[in-house]
Amino acid sequence: MSGQSLLVPGELSPIRSVPGNIRRPEYVGKPAPTPYTGPEVQTPETIEAMRVAGRIAARAMAEAAKLIAPGVTTDELDKVAHDYMCDHGAYPSTLGYRGFPKSLCTSVNEVICHGIPDSTVLKDGDIVNLDVTAYIGGVHGDNNATYLVGDVDEESRLLVERTRESLERAIKAVRPGRQINIIGRVIESYAKRFGYGVVRDFTGHGINSSFHSGLIIPHYDSPHATTVIQPGMTFTIEPMLTLGTHEYDMWDDGWTVVTKDRKRTAQFEHTLVVTGTGAEILTLP
């Protein structure tokens, strides 16, 4: 990994078009979304619609991931996910969200989150996170995963594997009646075993008809995350673990977040609905 060069911005391709018959989220064409004022507990009808959106998002991510290999650009990954969502009647939620210009996020190596797909060419030994959200039926489904590009060093491979495990452990900790901070407590205690940093300033979030409802899901043990988990709540868990510091810098594009020490970072995410006994994953392909 020591031989890997740091990422630099590439060239953006033109904004991709979405068929006119596909319903847009209300924020498209606006500088920011309208603040969500509805409940965090959703109706069975909304939850069923989110299963559809989540399944499309998961399948779009899986289709794009099939292309991951040395020599492929992150823009090519964006095209695959964009086309899959549009072909299945869904709008790519990130496209036009607060001005974001692409249909998924591609975060390579030291990029924590919100990397913009461009002419960047994936290299042997890289790791890349794909973050895909689909909007259909008036609701969003949001997921992400980190993938290996070719022959990846052991330290990076273990980081990816353990970040996935931290998400799985956090999902198992979701129970009605517990406070939201149980999620971050489980993730942080697991990450500390390996000396990993846990990103604090970017979190999971409530999701439903709103991309980000205002509910915050920290991935560390926050004393402020005292909201009680209730059946029917829908939110994401998306831990970001690093090989070094949890502190970050942001590129001039206003989106791309990189670790301050430029060490590698991985992330995994699912959208969940709380059941009577635990959590159901809504973003399964």
Side-chain angles (χ1 to χ4, degrees), residues 136-256:
I136 188 171
V139 297
H140 301 267
D142 185 3
N143 67 161
N144 76 55
T146 303
Y147 298 89
L148 310 181
V149 183
D151 185 17
V152 176
D153 68 274
E154 182 74 356
E155 184 180 42
S156 299
R157 189 187 63 77
L158 286 173
L159 173 68
V160 171
E161 181 181 300
R162 290 164 176 166
T163 305
R164 181 192 293 111
E165 174 68 16
S166 76
L167 172 60
E168 292 174 357
R169 289 172 179 243
I171 292 171
K172 290 176 183 175
V174 174
R175 292 283 189 282
R178 290 179 172 177
Q179 293 183 342
I180 289 291
N181 59 15
I182 186 64
I183 294 167
R185 189 177 310 142
V186 166
I187 292 167
E188 187 173 42
S189 63
Y190 180 70
K192 278 184 174 178
R193 290 195 206 173
F194 312 105
Y196 295 154
V198 180
V199 172
R200 302 167 76 90
D201 291 325
F202 300 89
T203 67
H205 53 89
I207 183 170
N208 37 67
S209 60
S210 173
F211 195 170
H212 300 87
S213 73
L215 177 67
I216 302 298
I217 312 294
H219 303 121
Y220 64 99
D221 188 5
S222 169
H224 306 295
T226 55
T227 299
V228 175
I229 298 170
Q230 303 176 59
M233 291 176 77
T234 50
F235 53 81
T236 72
I237 303 176
E238 44 188 298
M240 292 150 264
L241 305 187
T242 71
L243 290 176
T245 183
H246 69 271
E247 297 180 343
Y248 68 93
D249 293 320
M250 186 174 288
W251 283 4
D252 292 341
D253 62 21
W255 284 105
T256 307

Side-chain angles (χ1 to χ4, degrees), residues 5-206:
S5 57
L6 295 180
L7 201 68
V8 295
E11 296 294 322
L12 286 179
S13 65
I15 292 176
R16 304 188 197 284
S17 63
V18 177
N21 64 314
I22 292 178
R23 178 179 173 185
R24 272 73 170 152
E26 59 83 22
Y27 53 74
V28 174
K30 296 165 55 179
T34 302
Y36 179 71
T37 56
E40 297 299 345
V41 172
Q42 303 304 311
T43 65
E45 292 76 19
T46 296
I47 293 166
E48 182 55 37
M50 290 181 68
R51 287 191 183 97
V52 174
R55 189 158 53 242
I56 291 173
R59 290 175 177 171
M61 184 173 71
E63 285 301 307
K66 291 177 183 177
L67 199 66
I68 291 173
V72 173
T73 68
T74 54
D75 188 65
E76 290 175 89
L77 303 177
D78 180 78
K79 183 180 188 305
V80 172
H82 177 94
D83 289 349
Y84 185 92
M85 285 185 273
C86 292
D87 288 348
H88 290 81
Y91 186 92
S93 300
T94 59
L95 185 61
Y97 178 79
R98 297 183 181 272
F100 192 85
K102 292 296 174 181
S103 299
L104 81 165
C105 301
T106 50
S107 300
V108 180
N109 296 341
E110 69 270 21
V111 180
I112 294 172
C113 57
H114 304 158
I116 301 174
D118 58 19
S119 63
T120 296
V121 177
L122 297 176
K123 301 187 298 294
D124 188 60
D126 284 345
I127 60 175
V128 57
N129 178 275
L130 305 185
D131 192 338
V132 181
T133 310
Y135 177 79
I136 188 171
V139 297
H140 301 267
D142 185 3
N143 67 161
N144 76 55
T146 303
Y147 298 89
L148 310 181
V149 183
D151 185 17
V152 176
D153 68 274
E154 182 74 356
E155 184 180 42
S156 299
R157 189 187 63 77
L158 286 173
L159 173 68
V160 171
E161 181 181 300
R162 290 164 176 166
T163 305
R164 181 192 293 111
E165 174 68 16
S166 76
L167 172 60
E168 292 174 357
R169 289 172 179 243
I171 292 171
K172 290 176 183 175
V174 174
R175 292 283 189 282
R178 290 179 172 177
Q179 293 183 342
I180 289 291
N181 59 15
I182 186 64
I183 294 167
R185 189 177 310 142
V186 166
I187 292 167
E188 187 173 42
S189 63
Y190 180 70
K192 278 184 174 178
R193 290 195 206 173
F194 312 105
Y196 295 154
V198 180
V199 172
R200 302 167 76 90
D201 291 325
F202 300 89
T203 67
H205 53 89

